[in-house]
Amino acid sequence: MKKIFLLLIVIAFYGCNDYLDIEEKGKVIPESVEDLNLLMADYTKFIRSTVNVFFTNDEIKLYEDEVSRIFWGPEPLVNGYRWKDFIYDNPDMNDADWNNFYAQIYISNVVLDKIEEASGTNEDLRKMTKGEALAQRAYAYFMLVNIYGKHYNSATSLTDLGVPLYLDSDINKLKGRATVEEVYNQIESDLLEALPLLPETQEFPYHPSQGAVHGLLAKLYLYKGAWEESLYHVEEALSINSFLYDYNDYDFIPGAPKFAGLLGFPRQTFEHKETLWTKKADHPFVYGVAVYMSDEHLSLYEPGDRRLYFTNIDAYFFGPNQHGPVIFSKENYYKAGVHTPELYLIRAECNSRLNQPELAIADLNTLRGKRFNSDAFVPYEDVMTGEQTLDLVLKERRVELFLEPWRWFDLKRLNLEPNRQVTLSRTFNGETYELTPTSNNYIFAIPKRVINLNPLVEQNPRN
């Protein structure tokens, strides 16, 4: 039983797929390049990203008298909101993040095990399919190691525990946790190997491309503090796609409730022109009801910022909240992939840290000029130090990326810098909760179910 814990996850969530439970149900075995490419083309599986970090995000606010309205189950959200040791208390509960990412890894490993010997004469398709499998595996491990491991720290990464590292489709192996260094090295290796195998762009951006891989490499090196390497890859990504929507060109549909969306703004992932790689939060309504923007986050917005105008609305289709505006995503989903606004911000951060503040300010002004009412936008002046500019970049990350999962990872990485450490605090149901910069609960618990099935997986220390 313990030897098949990963297979159980795959069967439980993807058992209806003709290719994944082949040995158990005798269905079609993927033997050709075309078969393997179909595995990588499954939009519903590979688009899924994290939901857990939305529970712990410091930029939201809950009221105890309203959480019962959270129809999809308030327990994980409330546990995360209170930064409890375990978001999923019940050992029988599934952790969607762990399950989804390891399922993506399993599918990718099946493809990688078979792709070189698969039948077929379309060598371009063979290369692209292999590149997609490498890139998708890398993304899954990037999310897993940042959710369930400490943030990358060159002083401790050789011993800090990451996640189990599966590099083939043999699910009978029991593995313990690889180190953060080992997982990061594998992500880097997969992405660099994938680059020459992929096209520069893809027709549908849920397929990874060279631009997408460059973007994830830029993020990987940013998290490692390797500014020059990050800058190189973000420049490469932006050379492929640097498009930004001008929010002055959009407004809510006249005569319709605001949750109907913006007139002319794309609400299908494949139509979004700022997207290099589509990923989205596993749960589409995690902030759709009874969740508020925190007062501290609200204070970051300046007059005329259309990002706030589009994000705080009077009601969603579930009805209004009891204590104020509803958090709304104009895309109708929470982005978790690679998008041009963050690429501009990554380049700005790298240039700030490399003491090129004038370049960073230029990127901030480019982005902000597309986000403010045209009569309210005031460009930043190029008279700041790198450190002053970095403060602005980090603030802009919070505003621009509010409905994306990166804030939690930013808190973890910035807590490694003594001058940027913060202690989080909030009150719920009459009790105050704190999260210190060194708290173990910045690192999510390994699911209890996984620990029970595989004794080689060591649990993260809890507070």
Side-chain angles (χ1 to χ4, degrees):
M1 179 68 173
K2 291 177 179 178
K3 290 184 178 181
I4 60 171
F5 78 102
L6 183 56
L7 179 60
L8 288 175
I9 290 170
V10 174
I11 293 173
F13 284 85
Y14 305 106
C16 62
N17 187 294
D18 287 347
Y19 292 117
L20 291 182
D21 48 3
I22 50 178
E23 296 179 356
E24 290 70 38
K25 295 185 180 179
K27 297 187 179 180
V28 178
I29 297 175
E31 298 291 353
S32 70
V33 171
E34 289 76 13
D35 291 338
L36 296 173
N37 181 258
L38 285 175
L39 281 179
M40 301 311 305
D42 195 327
Y43 170 88
T44 61
K45 294 177 176 58
F46 283 104
I47 199 171
R48 295 182 177 187
S49 189
T50 181
V51 70
N52 287 347
V53 298
F54 288 90
F55 304 154
T56 52
N57 184 2
D58 68 321
E59 297 178 339
I60 63 168
K61 187 175 183 178
L62 298 180
Y63 293 89
E64 55 271 15
D65 65 343
E66 198 178 4
V67 293
S68 61
R69 291 187 63 226
I70 302 174
F71 60 89
W72 49 270
E75 183 180 355
L77 176 55
V78 173
N79 287 344
Y81 185 74
R82 295 182 293 171
W83 304 309
K84 289 190 66 175
D85 288 351
F86 292 90
I87 291 178
Y88 303 96
D89 284 330
N90 188 329
D92 293 328
M93 292 181 72
N94 285 308
D95 182 329
D97 283 5
W98 186 277
N99 290 355
N100 287 335
F101 289 130
Y102 271 110
Q104 292 169 14
I105 289 165
Y106 175 77
I107 300 168
S108 299
N109 283 340
V110 168
V111 171
L112 291 169
D113 283 353
K114 292 177 173 289
I115 190 65
E116 298 295 349
E117 304 303 323
S119 61
T121 59
N122 189 336
E123 295 306 311
D124 288 339
L125 186 64
R126 189 188 306 272
K127 286 171 53 180
M128 186 175 71
T129 302
K130 181 178 181 180
E132 289 193 23
L134 288 164
Q136 296 286 14
R137 183 171 72 179
Y139 178 91
Y141 274 126
F142 179 78
M143 299 304 291
L144 284 166
V145 74
N146 282 293
I147 294 169
Y148 301 100
K150 292 183 178 180
H151 189 78
Y152 185 93
N153 182 341
S154 60
T156 61
S157 62
L158 289 171
T159 54
D160 289 338
L161 291 179
V163 292
L165 201 54
Y166 286 86
L167 301 178
D168 59 51
S169 58
D170 183 356
I171 45 74
N172 289 316
K173 295 177 182 178
L174 283 183
K175 290 196 172 188
R177 297 171 65 181
T179 66
V180 169
E181 182 74 24
E182 289 170 331
V183 179
Y184 262 72
N185 286 345
Q186 187 62 50
I187 297 166
E188 180 182 34
S189 174
D190 281 354
L191 292 174
L192 291 175
E193 185 178 356
L195 262 178
L197 302 176
L198 293 169
E200 189 175 83
T201 61
Q202 296 265 26
E203 180 180 3
F204 299 107
Y206 58 85
H207 290 287
S209 61
Q210 285 186 12
V213 170
H214 278 301
L216 187 55
L217 279 164
K219 192 188 294 282
L220 178 82
Y221 291 125
L222 181 82
Y223 283 15
K224 291 183 70 173
W227 317 123
E228 291 88 352
E229 290 89 341
S230 180
L231 186 60
Y232 168 78
H233 286 285
V234 78
E235 294 276 14
E236 291 294 308
L238 284 170
S239 72
I240 294 170
N241 183 2
S242 60
F243 179 84
L244 292 171
Y245 287 107
D246 188 337
Y247 286 3
N248 287 281
D249 295 338
Y250 302 95
D251 211 331
F252 294 103
I253 300 171
K258 289 183 176 180
F259 61 77
L262 310 184
L263 182 64
F265 193 82
R267 303 193 77 186
Q268 299 293 329
T269 58
F270 60 86
E271 297 175 333
H272 204 291
K273 293 171 64 176
E274 291 181 348
T275 301
L276 285 84
W277 195 353
T278 297
K279 297 282 186 177
K280 62 182 181 180
D282 183 57
H283 199 291
F285 303 125
V286 64
Y287 287 172
V289 59
V291 182
Y292 300 82
M293 188 182 291
S294 71
D295 295 338
E296 191 264 345
H297 183 75
L298 186 61
S299 70
L300 299 175
Y301 293 89
E302 301 164 41
D305 194 329
R306 295 182 71 80
R307 290 170 293 192
L308 179 62
Y309 171 61
F310 290 150
T311 302
N312 264 10
I313 65 173
D314 52 357
Y316 206 16
F317 54 73
F318 305 110
N321 284 343
Q322 298 175 12
H323 298 280
V326 172
I327 294 174
F328 173 70
S329 168
K330 64 187 180 303
E331 282 87 4
N332 207 33
Y333 57 92
Y334 306 128
K335 297 180 294 184
V338 178
H339 302 86
T340 55
E342 188 184 10
L343 295 178
Y344 280 95
L345 292 168
I346 290 174
R347 186 165 69 180
E349 180 170 347
C350 291
N351 279 321
S352 296
R353 293 184 182 273
L354 293 170
N355 200 29
Q356 297 287 336
E358 68 284 355
L359 298 178
I361 290 295
D363 275 334
L364 290 182
N365 285 335
T366 297
L367 177 61
R368 286 163 55 87
K370 304 284 189 179
R371 297 318 195 224
F372 279 74
N373 292 331
S374 55
D375 59 353
F377 172 62
V378 178
Y380 288 132
E381 295 184 8
D382 179 20
V383 292
M384 302 181 195
T385 65
E387 192 67 17
Q388 290 170 327
T389 305
L390 181 58
D391 289 338
L392 296 178
V393 172
L394 296 176
K395 173 194 169 185
E396 197 65 25
R397 280 186 66 87
R398 296 184 63 182
V399 173
E400 179 67 33
L401 308 180
F402 171 59
L403 291 178
E404 300 183 37
W406 315 120
R407 170 61 178 167
W408 187 250
F409 302 157
D410 282 351
L411 284 166
K412 289 175 68 176
R413 69 186 179 97
L414 294 174
N415 277 337
L416 297 178
E417 303 177 29
N419 63 323
R420 297 193 182 278
Q421 292 178 344
V422 293
T423 294
L424 307 181
S425 178
R426 53 195 177 198
T427 300
F428 183 81
N429 206 20
E431 187 170 350
T432 298
Y433 299 88
E434 282 194 348
L435 194 69
T436 64
T438 58
S439 172
N440 290 323
N441 288 355
Y442 267 112
I443 307 160
F444 283 64
I446 305 296
K448 292 180 179 180
R449 187 175 183 181
V450 171
I451 298 289
N452 291 340
L453 291 170
N454 183 2
L456 297 182
V457 175
E458 182 180 338
Q459 183 58 273
N460 285 320
R462 311 318 295 153
N463 282 349

